[in-house]
Amino acid sequence: MQFDAAVRATEFDAFYTFNPARLAHATRAFVEGFPGSVLYAVKANPLPQVISTVRAAGVAGFDVASIGEALLVQAEAPGARCWFMNPAKSRRDIERAWRELGLRDFVVDCAAELEKLLEVLPTQEPSLRTYVRFHSGASDALYDLNSKFGASHADTLRLLQRIAAQTRWSSGIAFHPGSQTISVEPYLAALQTAARLVEQANAPVAALDIGGGFPARYDNMPMSPPASLLQRLGEFVASSSALKRVELLCEPGRVLAYDCMSLFARVILRKDQALYCGAGIFGGLLPAQQFFQLPVRAWRGSEPIDVAADGRSEFVVFGPTCDSNDRLAFPYALPVHLREGDWIEFQHVGAYSESVRCAFNGFSVDHLVTVGEHEMG
Ligand SMILES: *Cc1c(COP(=O)(O)O)cnc(C)c1O
């Protein structure tokens, strides 16, 4: 169904739009700006058309956290390489990743996880590479992943040494400053740590994976495009005698995907300045429950409502379920005369919306419309 037909349709109260040209553009720009290999982090948005679009736009491979994600990539991007970069993997999944799916890149952040790899994988196989994920230090990321993963400096050195002593694998180091890292400083501090690790390791370090976390643009966080951040990281690496010799990788998810999708939610009830919509946090607006104010537009039928003519006022926005948590964190400035049947278009929901939505209370946003670059104005 085309976009025009979708906004006029009466049979659903919410749907997504997907703009492949935007995703391709963001991906190409990032790949051009990063001085190394770019892997797409599948968990940000695992839609088949997202996988195939980022691949066609030039990513070197995919960062997967599970067998399910690896199978998805193999189905949608046959022949593409997957990196298994989850520091906590079951023995069975390690085995399947290597034997059935041919994955060669794994990550650990502690001795117990390395023990599993040593027992399950062939230690004399030189095409295998193990990354040691280290704690990247203080971060201003909204989702600080270091609270869950990351070896200390000393443990990282010990793990690298063990890999060198007991296997013929190559090794690398990795970090992730957390999702939606606001400033460049956490990356620069982690790169400094990485340089010291490479210098102090009594073992060859072939690669450095700097993870994801590159920030997206939301109304309450007007981040600029990643080009200048990438340039600063590139300059740092080029000026470091330890780092300029290693292969460089990164694993962005959010920054590539965030602006390729919108969620259209119909106003199903207006109660004064409160709006109840066809989709809320369970339908894909979870990121807006806490941290983010999404850019919005209001539509009546297939035309955006002219706010200049109508004027704006602030609304509290609820989803359709009976859970009181199903409410967005920020008030939204929308047309004064917004009424039942109108649409609210929540923009920048390409990352961590589709991948975390569920059918709680029987509301499921299963309709997706692919749109051309200029189709929605
Ligand atoms: C989530 C995750 C990513 C992607 O993070 P973004 O903030 O979406 O860029 C990359 N690598 C790993 C290991 C992750 O867990």
Side-chain angles (χ1 to χ4, degrees):
M1 192 185 291
Q2 296 304 301
F3 173 69
D4 275 9
V7 285
R8 276 195 236 98
T10 50
E11 76 262 32
F12 34 70
D13 293 321
F15 66 94
Y16 279 99
T17 59
F18 167 57
N19 185 327
R22 273 207 196 148
L23 177 60
H25 176 78
T27 306
R28 278 196 297 269
F30 198 97
V31 167
E32 268 168 38
F34 184 72
S37 301
V38 177
L39 319 181
Y40 172 63
V42 173
K43 80 170 184 292
N45 187 328
L47 280 176
Q49 49 274 61
V50 168
I51 307 269
S52 55
T53 302
V54 297
R55 188 189 196 195
V59 297
F62 295 86
D63 156 35
V64 300
S66 62
I67 295 295
E69 286 185 348
L71 287 170
L72 185 70
V73 171
Q74 293 197 342
E76 300 308 326
R81 182 162 166 188
C82 290
W83 277 249
F84 201 172
M85 298 304 272
N86 184 343
K89 302 165 287 301
S90 78
R91 221 168 259 271
R92 178 168 169 272
D93 285 356
I94 297 166
E95 166 107 42
R96 283 191 74 192
W98 160 247
R99 278 197 211 293
E100 291 174 33
L101 305 176
L103 271 54
R104 287 170 284 149
D105 300 273
F106 298 85
V107 70
V108 301
D109 73 348
C110 65
E113 186 74 8
L114 178 58
E115 208 66 58
K116 285 192 276 174
L117 295 191
L118 292 171
E119 282 167 28
V120 174
L121 301 175
T123 54
Q124 299 307 305
E125 173 53 57
S127 70
L128 288 172
R129 175 170 291 169
T130 298
Y131 289 83
V132 180
R133 177 153 159 188
F134 63 93
H135 195 286
S136 70
S139 177
D140 57 9
L142 265 61
Y143 303 87
D144 185 0
L145 305 178
N146 286 299
S147 61
K148 184 163 181 181
F149 297 119
S152 70
H153 194 97
D155 284 346
T156 303
L157 293 174
R158 271 193 282 274
L159 290 164
L160 288 169
Q161 190 135 40
R162 255 191 92 188
I163 294 164
Q166 298 186 20
T167 74
R168 294 183 63 206
W169 307 340
S170 62
S171 48
I173 51 176
F175 67 85
H176 194 308
S179 201
Q180 189 77 3
T181 299
I182 302 301
S183 65
V184 70
E185 281 73 25
Y187 286 99
L188 295 177
L191 286 176
Q192 238 143 24
T193 305
R196 278 201 306 277
L197 286 166
V198 172
E199 281 159 7
Q200 292 168 7
N202 255 334
V205 176
L208 167 64
D209 181 343
I210 71 166
F214 309 96
R217 190 182 176 86
Y218 299 101
D219 269 6
N220 59 326
M221 289 177 207
M223 310 301 299
S224 40
S228 63
L229 167 64
L230 295 182
Q231 195 181 341
R232 285 192 67 187
L233 300 184
E235 284 163 7
F236 186 99
V237 170
S239 69
S240 157
S241 56
L243 296 184
K244 69 181 173 204
R245 293 192 304 266
V246 305
E247 190 185 329
L248 195 66
L249 304 94
C250 68
E251 310 162 347
R254 183 189 301 280
V255 74
L256 302 187
Y258 76 96
D259 82 341
C260 75
M261 288 176 79
S262 284
L263 174 58
F264 279 74
R266 196 193 293 282
V267 175
I268 56 175
L269 172 67
R270 174 170 177 177
K271 204 193 277 179
D272 301 322
Q273 291 306 105
L275 299 171
Y276 295 72
C277 301
I281 65 166
F282 301 100
L285 298 178
L286 187 64
Q289 185 201 16
Q290 216 177 348
F291 297 124
F292 303 127
Q293 186 171 35
L294 301 169
V296 285
R297 269 194 304 192
W299 296 68
R300 185 159 295 158
S302 50
E303 296 295 327
I305 298 174
D306 182 357
V307 269
D310 198 43
R312 282 176 208 268
S313 65
E314 289 206 333
F315 292 88
V316 177
V317 178
F318 292 102
T321 69
C322 299
D323 183 344
S324 56
N325 289 312
D326 193 1
R327 170 188 177 145
L328 305 193
F330 291 89
Y332 283 82
L334 289 159
V336 173
H337 295 104
L338 200 68
R339 62 182 190 223
E340 183 202 344
D342 292 339
W343 294 100
I344 304 175
E345 176 196 358
F346 295 96
Q347 301 174 326
H348 295 188
V349 299
Y352 304 107
S353 289
E354 172 59 30
S355 52
V356 297
R357 71 184 178 85
C358 66
F360 176 61
N361 238 183
F363 296 97
S364 188
V365 189
D366 297 324
H367 196 72
L368 182 125
V369 179
T370 299
V371 295
E373 180 73 297
H374 304 296
E375 197 171 344
M376 289 162 46

